[in-house]
Every structure is written in C-alpha cells, then in structure tokens.
Amino acid sequence: MSQEHHQSFLTKYIFSTDHKMVAKQFLLLALAMAVFGGFYAFLIRWELAYPNQPAPFFGVVTPDKYNVIITLHGTIMLFFVGMPLLNAFPSNFLVPLMIGARDMAFPRLNMASFWMTFVAAILLISSFFVPGGPVAGGWTGYAPLSASSEFTGVKAGAVLWILSLALIFIASSLGGINYLVTVVTMRAKGMTYSRVPLTVWFLLAAAMTFFLAVGPILAGAFMLLMDNVFGTGFFLPGKGGEPLLWQHLFWFFGHPEVYVLFFPTLGFVLDISAVFARKPVFGQKLIIGSTVVAIALSFIVWAHHMFQTGMNPTLVTPFAITTILISVPFAIIYICMFLTIHNGSISLEPPMLWALGFLATFLVGGLTGIFLGAAGADIYLHGTYFVIAHFHYTMFPSVFFGGYAAINYWYPKMFGRMLNKTAATIHFVLTFIFFNCTFWPLFIVGMGGMVRRIADPSFYPQFSPFVHLNIFATISAMCLIATQTIFLWNFFSSMKNGKKAELNPYQANTLEWLAQSPPPHGNWGPKLPVVTSGPYEYSEPNKTEDWHTQAPSYKGEASHG
Amino acid sequence: MFELFKYLPEGISSFSGDIDSLIHFIYLLTGIFFVLFEGFLIYVVFRFRKKNSPKAKYELGDKWAQIQWVVAFVAVVVCLDFFIDVKSTKVWELLKEQVPATDVNIKVVAKQFDWTFVYPDKEGKFDSDQALSSYRELHVPVGKKVHVILTSQDVIHDFFLPEVRLKQDVMPGREINAWFDTNKVGTYHIVCNELCGFGHTRMLAVLHVDDEKTYENWKVQLYKQLHGGV
Amino acid sequence: MDNVTAVDHAEYEVEDYTGPAGTTAGRLGVWILISSEITIFAGLLGSYILFRLFHPEWAEESAHLNIVLGTVNTMLLLTSNFFMMKASTAVDQGDQKKSAKLMLITVALGLAFLVVKGFEYAAEFSHGEFPSKNTFWSFYFLLTGLHGTHILGGLVAITILWAKAKNNALGELKGRVALTGLYWSFVEVVWVFLFPLLYLLREGGAK
C-alpha cells in the first residue's frame, strides 16, 4: 500500500499532498510566523515601558512604526499563528488518523490551502518593502482610517494587507471544506458520530464556524480593496459611505473567529484530560449540544464590540442579552471539563500540564469578559488595557496553551520520538508564570484608565503612577518570549535525539495511536481499522486494563508481511 | 490582585459612582467564581493525583443524576448574569439612551490629531462669528449638565473622559450626542481612545471643571482673544 | 444531498486511499463551497440593500443601467445553464461526445455573457460612470465584477472538462461534470438576485 518509494524530495516535502506533511508544513509556518509576532510583542512592550529609548535589535519605536507593529502583531498572531496552529495543523494531522482514513477527501485542495496560506504570509511580510510601509490601521482595520491612504500615508501596504487576509481566509475556508467532507464521507467502519473523538468534533465546529462567518468579512475586504485601489467610498462618509458598515462586517466575522481559535483547544484539552485522568469525558453529548448552541449564538453577539461606536443605543440591550446567553453553553463545557478530571487518576505529564494551565488561565479571560459585556461597565473599560489583558487571557491560553498541549501530546506520533520531559515541564512552568506576570498587571493598568494603542505613554502624566507595573509587565513579557526558546530547542532537537516513541505511549484509546509513529503514507496497514467502541472507555469497572482501543481487531502493518 | 482599583481615577460625575459600583459588583461576583474555580482546580489536581487516587471513577455524565448539578449551577450563573445586566442597563440608559435637558451645549470637533471645542453664540448657533472655539481645552461649569455634540472631520476618534467615566466614539459623517456632568472643580483629562493615525498618541486635551464665575470669565477672555476686545 | 445522508453511520468501506469516495465527497464539498459563497454574496447584497433603503435617490442611477443588455444576459445565462444540465445528463448516459458539444454551447453562451458585460462596462465608462462615481456604482461594479470572476472560473472548469470529454477521456473526472453544473447553477442564481436588485429597482419602476 505504501507509495513512499515513488516520491521525490519535491513531492514528499514541498508539494506534498500527504495530510501529515501538509500538517507539518502548517505547523512550521505557524512557528515561523510566531517568531515575527513575538518580536513585535517585544517591541510593543518595550515602547510601553521605555518610551523613546532604542529597542534592542530594532531602534526607536516611533509612533508611526508603533502603529505598524501593533497592526502586524494582531494580524500575525490571529491569522498566521492561531489559525495554522489550531485549525490547519491539527485538522490535517489528526482528522484522517482519528477517524481511520488514509488521507483527506481532497488531498490536492489541502496542498493548495497550504500554499495559499504561505503566499498570504509572503504578501504580508513583503509590505515592509513597499513605499509607505505596511498597514498601520490596527488589526481591526477600522475604516475610514484603513480605507484611504490620505489618513495614514500607507497605500500599497494596505492593499497587500487586504489581499493577504483575503487569501488566507479563502485558503482556510477551502481547508475547512476539506475537513468537513473528510469526516462525513471517510470515517472507518464503525466510526459512528458518537464515537468520533471530541478533538475532531471541535475541529469541525471551528471549520464550520469559520466558513459560515467568513463571507461577510470577505465582502468587506473586497469593498475595502475597492476603496483603496479604485477610490470608491464604501466606508468613506465624504463619498456617501458608512464607516460603521465595516465594523459590522468585521465583528460579524470577528466574534465567531474568536471561537474558531478557541474550539480546537477545547477538543485538545478534553481529549488530553481524559487520557491523563484515565476517565471518560464527562457529559460528551452535553458538550456537543452546547457547542452547537454556542456556534448559533456566536453569530448574533457581534455588536458587543461596538457598544461605544454610536450605533443605535437601544440595540445595545438585545446584544448584551445574547452576550450573556452565550456564557451558558461555555459555562456547561467548562464545568464538564472540570468534572472530567474530578475523581480521576491524574498524571501530570506535560500535555496534561498545558491542559490544566489552560483551565486555570482561560477562566480569567472568561470572567473578565463579563465586565466588558456589561454595556454600562464597558463605557469606562472599552479600549483600555483592561480589554488587552482580557483578550490576551483568552487568546494566549487558547492559541499557545492549547497549541503546546497538542504539540506535546501528539509529538510522538508526528515524529516517532518523545520530547524531553524535563525541558517540556520547565517550559510549561516558566510560560505559565511569565504569562500571568505579563498580563495580570495590565488589568490594573487598564482600570487606571490607560488606553490601548498609544505609542508613547510618557506623554500621559496620568499614567506615571503605574509606570512600574508597565515595566514589570515588559520584563515578564521578555522572559516569556525568552522561555519559548526552550520549546524550540526541545522541538527540533528531539526530532533527532529524542527517545524512540512507542506506538501508544499514553495508553490512549483513539485510533491515531494504532498507526505507526510516524504513520506512513496511507496511514494504515492493508486493512483499515474497524471501530467497535467509543473514544473514552477509560477505567471501566470490572476490567483489568484501564483502557481499551477503539479498534481492537486492527493488526497494523504486522499482517502486511 | 486586590489592588485592581488602586489607580482607578476619582470619579467626578453624577453617574461615575453608578459605573464604579457596577464594576465593583461584577468584580465581587467574578472574584467569588474565580476563587471557587481555581480552588476547585487546585483541590482536584492534588486530591486526584495518581498517587492519591490510583483508580479513576467511571463517570460518563450522561445521567440526569450526574448532570443536574451542572444544570443547577448554570442556572445560578444565568441568574447572576441577568442581575448584572439589569444593573448595567440602568447605567446605560441613564447615560447613553437619550440626552436629558442640559444647561450647556458644546460642539466637539475631532480631526487628526486635534480636539476643538465650539461654544455657541447667544442664539445657540455654532456656525456664527460669535461662537467661540477653544483649542484642546474644554471648560465646563461645575454641577451643570453638559450636552456634547461630537463630530469628526476625517476618521473615527473616541472622546474619553476617564474621570467623568464617559466614552463615546466620534464618527465622521454624523453627529453623535452625548452628555455628562461634573461635581468637582479641577483639571482633568481628555483622551482619544480610537486609533486614528500616526499622531494618535498625541491627541489629548484638557478638561477644566470651573466654578460658575471662573467659567464665565474664561469665556469672556476667550472672546477677547478671538475678537480682540468687546 | 440524499447521497450525503446515505453514508451516515459509516455503513460503507473506503479502501481506496487516493481520494474522495466517489462523487459523494465532491458533491458535499461543492455544496459547502456554495454555502460559503452564499455568505459572501449575502454580505455584499445585505450591505447594498441597507444602503439602498437609506438612498432612494439611487433609483436614478439605476436607470442608467442598460436594461436590454441586462435582460439579454439573463437569458444567456439561463440558457447556458440548461445546456450544462443536458451535458451532465449526457455524461450520465455515457455519451461523452454529446456532452462535449453541449458544454461547448455552455461555454459559448457564458463567453457571450462576459462580452455583453464588457460592452456594458465600456458604455458606462464612456459616460463617466466609474466605480468611484458614487456608492451605487461602487456596488454595481463590485457585485457584477465579483460575479463575472465566478463566471470566468466556471468557464475555465467547463473548458477543461470539454477538452477531456471531446476525446472521450473524462475517465475519473466524469463526476465533475455534474459538480461543475451545480456550481454553474449557483452562479446563475446569484445573477438572478443581482439583476432585479441592480437593474430593475429603478426610477419609474421596471420598464
């Protein structure tokens, strides 16, 4: 069955259609882009603690450069790190393996999706080399600032930014179509929907949410492109346009997008919790039902990002109510996560540490969201560092805690070797500490009235009482970034030097652990696995083993001869 | 963590107390949940570590008996949420739904990267010669309700008075009405809170809350400045 | 969509690792693609309709559109769809040559649509009606332009299939004819929305 010997270097590593190779490409792209995003984070924090002093490796962060940096930091971290790391990489790697398929339904579409994403990244970075520099209107690209070069002096950079986003949106939708079709049509025998692991469920939820939400923002992107290139005025009031339209289109997409980056992590954390607490996921059906409700509600909450924009104030109350209702499904899922580890038998392996770290930190992000969802409190807190702290407490745990959990957990299957456990543990502990030290002070700073997106806090005497908090956050952020080198070292050196991984190092039930590590082209032996039980049959009463695989009859390569 | 409000600026409007108490109230509720959940998490991790709990309990969470506690808990969450929402809506309606009868009307003109405050002439017109323009300095009489008409000449700005607890985006192409009052004489801050271009960081102004006499004097002085004597 | 539900509960076996399980995966994929595309056009048309409600004066601008050419184009697209469906039936009946001829007609009609559209654009430009003239024209050019790109994409796909079918060489691509037909119907349906909203809502009503 294996066709490995037919593949040249180019088709195996570059223009590969193998889902596992595409997954690794996405992972590497995400890590490479994270280096950019992290460097911009460093520059932002540097400027906030030491305004107008030259930053190492860069120089003075002037206000115009600062605006560029915050814009690119947001764009890169969400679309070029978050989405590849949490959607494309795990969907590609895990979906076929976890449902017992040999590859994706459309392998070439898969390859196209990666290369479109890659080109999008190149477009974004190339905007550094055009006259006027890269876009500087904030990652939310609020028009009219983003709609005409007369306001920022940026023309080509803005066009490249829009094209880059449009391209990655299209690439991600195509990827999402692929994952969904794969799950619907290519599940192995016996893999009923109720036996599909939650990781796959949540990856699908993310893909669906994305391609249902992406239309309006693409429409908006086309309009913004026309405004910039052809001098139209969709968003320019001087030409009869409406700036608020952009915000509606943006947040109609933007809020579901947050869940696109959050759902996969829920799946990882639940699956990892089950394995390392040796316990079935608590309330699997309840979780899936809640997710469906959350997806539906996520399309009718967008205006809570726009309370202070001058939108019709009487519309605010309905949106405040839907915002509150959406806390219900997430509260259910969160409690189910806690009850999954409760009464378990927990081993604190690195993937489990990341999962627990996610539970501990995301809680803060969820709770502080209530301040901002309450329109009355939002009057004061909107646009302050409280918001920055809030969404970093949601996005950082989702993207990085979740991403690291997934990488740590599936690394043996990806590369056939184990990560260094000590290094992985140290990496977790330091990241956890420095993450909190970076963002916790920002709640206090935001409550003190410090507004976001200002390049020079020294210009604001009212912020001087808490300058020490800004410095503390900056030093913590630098430590946080430095800590990630431990991971990078561990990730790359373990590929060569790591301990050889067993097929199933965690004694997990799901199908991917039946395949070889790493799985060959085509994944399975001559016969596909036949599934006979659910993914979470851990610690069943009256059984000697505390686990049993979903496809006990699977013989692997053994029968291949 | 108990210092969350350490640097919260002193409120100087009739509604700043309402907003602050709403924020305090949410802080209290979320604080309780924070302690409960983090406490539970730490308890679970210690109590159910492998060495303390060698065998996990097989719970699927598909029986009503098991999930009724989840549902009950969520019901509590929803009730508290609505409680917050009711409190929040009151503040919102007071401040944002409509402008009450006000004593002073001021037009705020935002453009990259300046604030201009226009005081109407005696007939209430903003576009006559007798209207007064003040650059980056907003003077208001203490204790009076002030109606601000917010306009922008280019991009979106945001009119943020931290001490007053008022924040309102300023949109180009439309006039947005807002109001506030003050109860303490002094000098306060006005900040642009929406990214508006490379000069955004310098788009500041000063709010002077004057007693009646100082306010009138200032207006006379400004008139003299603009029109060169009476 | 019936085929889709039929594969529920994994009552089938896929041993072929090279790709989609027959047409089912492809059909599902195209449906999802269409649903995603619908949201794009819904976003644009929704924005357009909102603007239109606040700008009754756009009816005058709309009166400048050439309703005759618009109608001709509608007919062209509807007819081309008919032939595409016939082509799909012909493939199902195993007659690739006939299918090729029908696809050729489809492509010709689609090209005619684009040519007519080109004449319309040219006439509008000569009257100074550029996308930047006002927001009505911005919407008009964006909507018809985006729709035109979809037409172009469809034409490329159909041409590729035609080149194979005329040599009786569709092979594994057989299923693609029906799928492309599905997509082509979607492109037509979009036009069926665009035409009345842009051309017919005009000063003095549709005349």
Side-chain angles (χ1 to χ4, degrees):
Chain A
M1 216 60 208
S2 167
Q3 293 205 341
E4 271 180 296
H5 46 279
H6 293 308
Q7 296 177 313
S8 70
F9 176 83
L10 209 62
T11 54
K12 184 167 180 192
Y13 294 106
I14 310 293
F15 296 107
S16 171
T17 54
D18 184 299
H19 71 99
K20 298 174 293 296
M21 185 52 68
V22 176
K24 286 175 193 171
Q25 289 172 329
F26 270 115
L27 175 58
L28 286 180
L29 179 71
L31 294 179
M33 293 306 278
V35 173
F36 284 95
F39 181 63
Y40 297 145
F42 156 72
L43 292 178
I44 293 168
R45 281 313 319 171
W46 177 273
E47 175 67 12
L48 291 172
Y50 311 108
N52 305 319
Q53 295 175 34
F57 320 111
F58 188 80
V60 177
V61 184
T62 51
D64 54 330
K65 283 182 190 152
Y66 184 86
N67 290 353
V68 167
I69 288 165
I70 56 169
T71 308
L72 291 180
H73 171 73
T75 306
I76 287 177
M77 284 304 196
L78 286 170
F79 300 122
F80 290 90
V81 178
M83 289 196 356
L85 184 63
L86 290 186
N87 299 107
F89 149 64
S91 298
N92 275 301
F93 189 75
L94 296 173
V95 165
L97 281 170
M98 285 183 130
I99 63 169
R102 296 202 185 275
D103 205 315
M104 284 286 179
F106 311 115
R108 271 182 300 173
L109 188 67
N110 222 13
M111 177 183 82
S113 170
F114 171 76
W115 285 105
M116 283 166 80
T117 310
F118 185 80
V119 171
I122 298 289
L123 282 179
L124 188 69
I125 289 168
S126 68
S127 64
F128 272 100
F129 307 104
V130 296
V135 66
W139 79 275
T140 50
Y142 276 8
L145 189 64
S146 59
S148 168
S149 60
E150 69 176 292
F151 301 126
T152 51
V154 177
K155 183 150 183 136
V159 173
L160 284 171
W161 179 73
I162 300 166
L163 287 175
S164 163
L165 286 188
L167 199 58
I168 195 173
F169 290 160
I170 294 169
S172 308
S173 313
L174 292 178
I177 292 172
N178 208 349
Y179 318 141
L180 194 73
V181 172
T182 306
V183 175
V184 173
T185 62
M186 296 177 73
R187 280 165 292 127
K189 203 169 187 175
M191 180 60 88
T192 59
Y193 281 117
S194 60
R195 289 174 181 167
V196 170
L198 283 172
T199 293
V200 176
W201 270 104
F202 274 107
L203 287 169
L204 282 196
M208 262 178 74
T209 312
F210 185 81
F211 68 65
L212 290 177
V214 77
I217 188 75
L218 271 175
F222 294 142
M223 294 188 214
L224 199 60
L225 194 65
M226 298 260 296
D227 277 3
N228 272 291
V229 178
F230 298 113
T232 58
F234 287 108
F235 304 123
L236 295 168
K239 292 180 179 168
E242 174 53 67
L244 267 187
L245 176 63
W246 169 262
Q247 294 190 26
H248 281 294
L249 294 170
F250 185 88
W251 287 117
F252 180 84
F253 158 80
H255 197 84
E257 168 69 13
V258 174
Y259 297 148
V260 171
L261 296 176
F262 168 55
F263 284 147
T265 294
L266 290 182
F268 307 151
V269 169
L270 283 163
D271 272 10
I272 289 171
S273 305
V275 171
F276 292 99
R278 313 308 294 167
K279 212 172 151 266
V281 167
F282 187 93
Q284 193 185 350
K285 296 228 166 75
L286 199 59
I287 290 172
I288 293 170
S290 303
T291 310
V292 174
V293 174
I295 293 175
L297 284 173
S298 76
F299 287 95
I300 49 169
V301 297
W302 78 90
H304 69 216
H305 297 269
M306 297 166 59
F307 283 161
Q308 316 307 335
T309 56
M311 61 179 266
N312 187 346
T314 40
L315 281 179
V316 163
T317 308
F319 277 106
I321 290 172
T322 54
T323 302
I324 272 177
L325 286 179
I326 207 167
S327 69
V328 174
F330 286 120
I332 293 176
I333 295 172
Y334 221 73
I335 296 168
C336 287
M337 289 169 128
F338 274 80
L339 291 179
T340 299
I341 53 173
H342 182 248
N343 279 336
S345 172
I346 298 170
S347 28
L348 293 176
E349 297 290 318
M352 187 61 169
L353 287 174
W354 286 109
L356 294 171
F358 169 82
L359 288 179
T361 48
F362 188 86
L363 179 68
V364 179
L367 289 174
T368 50
I370 297 172
F371 288 80
L372 302 166
D378 187 57
I379 295 174
Y380 179 66
L381 293 172
H382 180 88
T384 64
Y385 264 80
F386 193 89
V387 176
I388 302 274
H390 156 70
F391 74 65
H392 280 91
Y393 259 99
T394 59
M395 295 317 329
F396 194 100
S398 291
V399 174
F400 289 104
F401 282 50
Y404 284 138
I407 294 172
N408 272 277
Y409 182 63
W410 282 291
Y411 190 91
K413 193 50 64 182
M414 270 191 287
F415 298 105
R417 289 175 188 272
M418 304 296 283
L419 281 171
N420 180 323
K421 194 179 154 185
T422 319
T425 309
I426 293 172
H427 173 228
F428 165 76
V429 171
L430 291 181
T431 302
F432 185 82
I433 293 170
F434 291 133
F435 162 71
N436 284 297
C437 290
T438 303
F439 293 105
W440 194 275
L442 300 188
F443 285 120
I444 303 166
V445 166
M447 202 54 92
M450 179 155 166
V451 292
R452 64 190 289 202
R453 290 174 166 175
I454 49 156
D456 186 356
S458 69
F459 207 69
Y460 295 66
Q462 66 267 41
F463 302 157
S464 55
F466 43 77
V467 72
H468 63 283
L469 285 176
N470 269 325
I471 292 173
F472 179 75
T474 296
I475 293 171
S476 306
M478 290 197 262
C479 296
L480 179 62
I481 293 167
T483 302
Q484 306 317 307
T485 53
I486 303 176
F487 166 76
L488 288 177
W489 169 80
N490 196 0
F491 182 84
F492 287 107
S493 83
S494 296
M495 272 185 215
K496 275 203 173 131
N497 312 321
K499 200 173 74 185
K500 280 257 186 223
E502 305 158 40
L503 278 193
N504 189 355
Y506 316 119
Q507 302 187 319
N509 292 348
T510 41
L511 290 187
E512 77 272 26
W513 300 107
L514 291 175
Q516 286 179 26
S517 300
H521 196 52
N523 295 346
W524 312 103
K527 280 267 177 219
L528 287 174
V530 177
V531 177
T532 54
S533 60
Y536 303 119
E537 299 298 315
Y538 294 105
S539 305
E540 279 176 290
N542 313 322
K543 296 238 169 114
T544 44
E545 294 271 334
D546 69 351
W547 63 290
H548 74 85
T549 171
Q550 281 192 276
S553 63
Y554 178 70
K555 295 285 187 296
E557 298 287 308
S559 62
H560 196 37
Chain B
M1 67 182 265
F2 299 107
E3 293 190 328
L4 182 63
F5 301 106
K6 188 170 173 186
Y7 300 107
L8 182 68
E10 182 195 5
I12 57 153
S13 61
S14 63
F15 49 80
S16 61
D18 295 339
I19 291 182
D20 289 358
S21 79
L22 173 64
I23 294 176
H24 281 107
F25 177 67
I26 300 174
Y27 179 60
L28 178 72
L29 286 183
T30 53
I32 293 170
F33 275 86
F34 175 76
V35 172
L36 277 178
F37 270 86
E38 300 289 3
F40 183 67
L41 186 63
I42 292 166
Y43 160 76
V44 166
V45 170
F46 279 94
R47 169 63 187 80
F48 297 105
R49 280 194 72 168
K50 196 159 220 148
K51 61 179 179 215
N52 301 331
S53 164
K55 180 98 174 109
K57 197 171 157 196
Y58 185 76
E59 291 174 313
L60 288 173
D62 56 352
K63 305 267 183 328
W64 173 246
Q66 287 169 322
I67 59 175
Q68 59 183 343
W69 298 109
V70 178
V71 175
F73 178 81
V74 170
V76 173
V77 170
V78 175
C79 289
L80 291 176
D81 274 349
F82 272 100
F83 206 44
I84 291 172
D85 226 23
V86 168
K87 219 168 142 56
S88 158
T89 305
K90 269 186 202 149
V91 182
W92 180 264
E93 279 175 351
L94 169 74
L95 190 54
K96 295 267 179 152
E97 287 275 339
Q98 52 194 2
V99 179
T102 49
D103 309 304
V104 185
N105 293 339
I106 300 169
K107 189 168 179 175
V108 178
V109 182
K111 70 175 173 57
Q112 288 181 326
F113 304 97
D114 283 320
W115 296 104
T116 309
F117 304 99
V118 186
Y119 293 77
D121 65 6
K122 291 201 176 65
E123 277 140 38
K125 288 205 178 96
F126 289 108
D127 49 3
S128 79
D129 312 337
Q130 303 294 308
L132 300 175
S133 282
S134 163
Y135 175 72
R136 286 196 165 205
E137 257 187 60
L138 174 61
H139 285 253
V140 296
V142 69
K144 292 280 163 64
K145 284 195 166 76
V146 181
H147 176 190
V148 279
I149 302 148
L150 303 164
T151 60
S152 164
Q153 296 184 341
D154 37 47
V155 298
I156 302 174
H157 302 276
D158 184 283
F159 185 62
F160 180 30
L161 311 178
E163 292 88 355
V164 178
R165 308 281 189 269
L166 175 70
K167 181 174 296 151
Q168 178 59 55
D169 276 8
V170 187
M171 305 294 281
R174 62 168 79 181
E175 287 187 347
I176 295 174
N177 296 291
W179 72 276
F180 66 93
D181 57 13
T182 50
N183 54 26
K184 198 176 170 194
V185 173
T187 306
Y188 306 99
H189 301 97
I190 299 175
V191 177
C192 176
N193 197 2
E194 187 64 63
L195 183 64
C196 61
F198 68 89
H200 168 59
T201 190
R202 302 275 159 111
M203 191 164 162
L204 301 172
V206 182
L207 169 66
H208 293 278
V209 178
D210 299 335
D211 56 46
E212 196 71 28
K213 210 173 140 204
T214 326
Y215 174 70
E216 291 303 332
N217 276 343
W218 170 77
K219 274 179 93 169
V220 171
Q221 288 299 323
L222 185 64
Y223 188 88
K224 279 186 191 152
Q225 233 174 40
L226 294 173
H227 297 279
V230 185
Chain C
M1 294 292 278
D2 292 346
N3 297 341
V4 177
T5 43
V7 297
D8 201 349
H9 301 298
E11 290 162 352
Y12 62 97
E13 193 146 15
V14 193
E15 282 291 352
D16 177 16
Y17 85 100
T18 50
T23 51
T24 319
R27 186 160 280 272
L28 178 61
V30 173
W31 272 112
I32 302 173
L33 178 73
I34 288 175
S35 71
S36 190
E37 293 254 29
I38 286 173
T39 64
I40 300 179
F41 282 100
L44 281 173
L45 282 174
S47 308
Y48 169 72
I49 290 168
L50 277 176
F51 264 96
R52 200 62 206 254
L53 290 176
F54 289 100
H55 294 275
E57 72 276 11
W58 283 10
E60 279 167 43
E61 301 289 344
S62 175
H64 290 244
L65 292 175
N66 191 326
I67 208 162
V68 177
L69 290 183
T71 313
V72 168
N73 256 352
T74 312
M75 296 315 292
L76 285 174
L77 218 49
L78 288 171
T79 331
S80 85
N81 234 283
F82 170 77
F83 283 109
M84 191 63 205
M85 277 183 217
K86 285 273 174 199
S88 164
T89 323
V91 170
D92 288 344
Q93 290 161 350
D95 192 345
Q96 294 198 14
K97 299 260 178 186
K98 184 181 168 198
S99 165
K101 276 182 204 141
L102 291 163
M103 281 196 269
L104 196 62
I105 302 174
T106 310
V107 172
L109 291 168
L111 279 177
F113 175 94
L114 289 180
V115 170
V116 171
K117 199 78 230 162
F119 276 115
E120 275 190 78
Y121 275 10
E124 280 144 14
F125 289 155
S126 71
H127 291 115
E129 283 146 357
F130 293 102
S132 54
K133 189 186 173 198
N134 63 37
T135 314
F136 173 79
W137 291 100
S138 312
F139 269 113
Y140 166 78
F141 282 106
L142 178 53
L143 283 165
T144 53
L146 191 63
H147 178 255
T149 357
H150 280 76
I151 296 266
L152 204 61
L155 289 180
V156 170
I158 300 171
T159 310
I160 294 171
L161 292 172
W162 162 77
K164 296 267 182 192
K166 78 177 161 53
N167 300 326
N168 228 344
L170 272 177
E172 285 180 349
L173 297 180
K174 266 184 200 163
R176 300 276 171 92
V177 179
L179 296 185
T180 314
L182 187 57
Y183 172 81
W184 196 244
S185 316
F186 162 73
V187 178
E188 179 214 310
V189 169
V190 170
W191 179 257
V192 168
F193 277 94
L194 293 191
F195 180 61
L197 284 170
L198 289 170
Y199 287 73
L200 299 183
L201 287 174
R202 58 166 60 197
E203 194 73 16
K207 275 179 196 160

